Amino acid sequence: MSLRRELGLLHATMMGVGSAISAGIFVTLGLAVEIAGPAVILSFLFAGIINMATMFSYCELGAAMPRVGGEYVYVKEAFKGFPSFLTGWYEWSSNIFYATLMVLGSAYMLSYVMPINLFLRVIILVIVFTAINIKGIKEAGTMQTFLTLILLAIIFLFAGAGLVHGVRSNAFEPFMPKGPLSIIAAVAFVFETYLGAEAIAATQAEIKKPEKTIPRAIILCSLILIIAVCLVVYVAVGVISPDALSKSLTPLNLVAEKTMGSVGVLLLTTAGLVAALTSLNSAIIASSRAAYAMSQNGHFPKALRKVHEHYKTPYVAIVGSSILILFFSLTGTVEFVVYSINFGFLIGFSLVNLSLIKLRRSKPHLNRPFKTPLYPLMPIIGIISSIVLLAFFDIKPLVFGIAWGLLGSVLYFLKQKT
């Protein structure tokens, strides 16, 4: 039984935007400013441009192979065997951990309006979004679109208020206090800000007219993110001093309070909650589709490939992913594991770009409704930039990311022997 194609261009685009604009930017901007100073604006811009290079690969491969599984499908078509398993392993686990982070972020933010036990808030969130996802991709997509449009409206209102307020005369002086390498180090730190198209790829088997909609949605998503994120960063650094931003756990709230007063703080708190919820929704979708695809190819238990007769959703994979998300959220073990999120996505990006190059050579006659511009420059930029960013990771997340891959490798080869 196949999944149902019910997502149009708006729903698919908002799926990506909502996935990328997570609660992270609301709290990590201060740490990024501490790394690079006012030049952090370049870090966010470069991260968006680097991400766009790989997104063109997603556009071409997604339009050519709009099957459930996203990057796992691309790498399987190009290399088969272990490389495809490793891609699916990181794709699935990274979304599980990402969803866990969003559950915890949402639960903490809900404490202002839902004064009940933290564990109860976590359980309610997971149950509600699991039910929405089982009900149907159309319902999940509608919820994502609604929440993301609210989020974008608040973000552009925030940016507009900051521009009207005006930036400080010496806001960007000195521009690069810690040298040019600090900009690259900050790119490695903020790269997850643009991880949205992965959610579009994960739902490509449920997108209408995929040969046209997938490339358009991915490109629109990337452009919207670059504009929105860079505007927010420019306003934040322009209104509040880098020193004050770097010392705050909620840097954007400082900016909102100065430009819009207490109403601004309320709006930004609302935006942070909405951002966490949209990311949670898309992460459940992405992780369940990855598990579904891995099950279809015998890497995960057969039960995960079951599709609901009425709703046409992979309900067992959704429930299974949600149980893991709930487990990590309640035990708090994700605090260290979350470091593997960026690692897993960068490994996946490298393999997707390699797959594009491989398939251009091995399957030149494959129907490609969209072709990556400036080939092979774009995928090469994507591969090199992913490797360079990994070199700027702290040793702990690097070790953990490698160890997680080794665990998956052991499970893969044990499965091959049975």
Side-chain angles (χ1 to χ4, degrees), residues 173-254:
E173 297 176 5
F175 183 65
M176 204 181 299
K178 299 185 179 180
L181 286 181
S182 66
I183 297 175
I184 303 175
V187 171
F189 182 73
V190 305
F191 192 73
E192 69 171 356
T193 307
Y194 294 98
L195 297 177
E198 192 275 341
I200 299 174
T203 58
Q204 61 190 18
E206 295 154 284
I207 291 177
K208 299 175 184 177
K209 300 179 181 178
E211 67 283 351
K212 293 182 178 179
T213 304
I214 290 173
R216 290 173 181 174
I218 291 175
I219 292 171
L220 276 173
C221 169
S222 300
L223 292 175
I224 290 170
L225 287 172
I226 290 173
I227 293 170
V229 170
C230 289
L231 260 178
V232 167
V233 176
Y234 174 79
V235 167
V237 176
V239 172
I240 302 292
S241 71
D243 185 56
L245 287 174
S246 64
K247 292 178 181 177
S248 175
L249 294 176
T250 54
L252 295 188
N253 281 8
L254 290 179

Side-chain angles (χ1 to χ4, degrees), residues 16-199:
V17 174
S19 172
I21 303 181
S22 69
I25 190 173
F26 291 85
V27 294
T28 60
L29 176 59
L31 296 172
V33 170
E34 187 174 359
I35 294 172
V40 73
I41 181 68
L42 290 182
S43 299
F44 279 95
L45 178 61
F46 290 160
I49 293 172
I50 290 170
N51 178 74
M52 182 70 103
T54 294
M55 290 309 100
F56 285 127
S57 295
Y58 272 84
C59 288
E60 178 172 327
L61 296 172
M65 297 174 286
R67 304 192 294 272
V68 64
E71 50 262 71
Y72 169 68
V73 172
Y74 315 151
V75 181
K76 182 176 181 292
E77 194 73 22
F79 298 105
K80 303 185 179 353
F82 178 67
S84 64
F85 168 82
L86 193 64
T87 303
W89 175 256
Y90 275 120
E91 177 189 355
W92 168 72
S93 61
S94 292
N95 278 293
I96 290 288
F97 300 140
Y98 190 64
T100 302
L101 179 64
M102 293 305 107
V103 168
L104 292 173
S106 302
Y108 283 120
M109 291 176 190
L110 278 173
S111 62
Y112 294 101
V113 293
M114 193 183 290
I116 59 176
N117 184 274
L118 174 65
F119 284 0
L120 286 177
R121 293 197 296 272
V122 167
I123 292 170
I124 290 170
L125 281 168
V126 174
I127 290 175
V128 168
F129 279 90
T130 299
I132 290 171
N133 274 272
I134 291 175
K135 183 68 169 59
I137 190 63
K138 185 176 182 180
E139 285 76 8
T142 300
M143 172 66 77
Q144 186 79 352
T145 300
F146 174 71
L147 290 174
T148 303
L149 288 174
I150 291 175
L151 176 60
L152 286 174
I154 295 175
I155 284 176
F156 283 113
L157 177 62
F158 165 86
L163 292 174
V164 170
H165 177 275
V167 301
R168 296 170 296 112
S169 58
N170 62 339
F172 297 93
E173 297 176 5
F175 183 65
M176 204 181 299
K178 299 185 179 180
L181 286 181
S182 66
I183 297 175
I184 303 175
V187 171
F189 182 73
V190 305
F191 192 73
E192 69 171 356
T193 307
Y194 294 98
L195 297 177
E198 192 275 341

Side-chain angles (χ1 to χ4, degrees), residues 53-62 64-65 74-75 78-79 349-363 366 368 370-373 375-380 383:
T54 294
M55 290 309 100
F56 285 127
S57 295
Y58 272 84
C59 288
E60 178 172 327
L61 296 172
M65 297 174 286
Y74 315 151
V75 181
F79 298 105
F349 276 20
S350 300
L351 289 168
V352 166
N353 284 304
L354 283 171
S355 297
L356 176 68
I357 295 171
K358 175 71 160 51
L359 288 171
R360 279 287 188 102
R361 295 178 178 178
S362 63
K363 296 188 177 183
L366 178 69
R368 294 175 170 85
F370 178 94
K371 285 194 172 184
T372 298
Y375 176 87
L377 179 62
M378 286 298 177
I380 290 174
I383 294 168

Side-chain angles (χ1 to χ4, degrees), residues 300-366:
F300 280 6
K302 292 181 180 179
L304 296 176
R305 72 184 70 167
K306 290 184 179 179
V307 175
H308 198 284
E309 290 186 8
H310 179 66
Y311 299 127
K312 298 295 186 286
T313 54
Y315 69 102
V316 177
I318 292 171
V319 172
S321 294
S322 296
I323 289 172
L324 284 174
I325 292 165
L326 183 60
F327 170 77
F328 286 124
S329 299
L330 293 178
T331 59
T333 55
V334 74
E335 187 173 350
F336 180 76
V337 176
V338 75
Y339 284 118
S340 68
I341 293 174
N342 271 3
F343 184 95
F345 280 122
L346 287 171
I347 294 295
F349 276 20
S350 300
L351 289 168
V352 166
N353 284 304
L354 283 171
S355 297
L356 176 68
I357 295 171
K358 175 71 160 51
L359 288 171
R360 279 287 188 102
R361 295 178 178 178
S362 63
K363 296 188 177 183
H365 302 298
L366 178 69

